[in-house]
Amino acid sequence: MSKYALCIGINDYPGTGSDLAGCVNDAKDWSEALKNRGFTVSKLFDKQATGKGIRESIKSVIAKGKNGDTVVI
């Protein structure tokens, strides 16, 4: 059985004045924790995490999973 994960962290919300401070760090921490547990991890941070980028990455990580695998988003 395989294990796949997608970690998404967005701190920067351009033009909104609503930037956050810890989301990217949290996603990096989750990524390391999941790697340590045998997951193959994909990551999206800030500018990579567009609506399109997120949808494509979710589709991609789900497509990797087969019956009995574990997928974490």
Side-chain angles (χ1 to χ4, degrees):
M1 289 192 272
S2 298
K3 300 176 182 181
Y4 303 99
L6 172 62
C7 295
I8 304 167
I10 307 170
N11 286 343
D12 185 24
Y13 290 87
T16 66
S18 298
D19 291 347
L20 301 172
C23 299
V24 170
N25 286 339
D26 290 345
K28 288 178 180 179
D29 289 346
W30 273 109
S31 173
E32 282 303 310
L34 290 163
K35 279 184 195 175
N36 291 338
R37 288 165 177 79
F39 282 79
T40 300
V41 180
S42 301
K43 299 175 271 190
L44 289 178
F45 302 133
D46 285 329
K47 290 181 183 179
Q48 298 170 318
T50 62
K52 180 180 177 183
I54 292 170
R55 286 188 298 275
E56 288 176 356
S57 294
I58 289 172
K59 287 177 188 175
S60 176
V61 76
I62 289 172
K64 291 177 186 176
K66 307 291 183 250
N67 190 29
D69 290 350
T70 301
V71 176
V72 173
I73 300 171

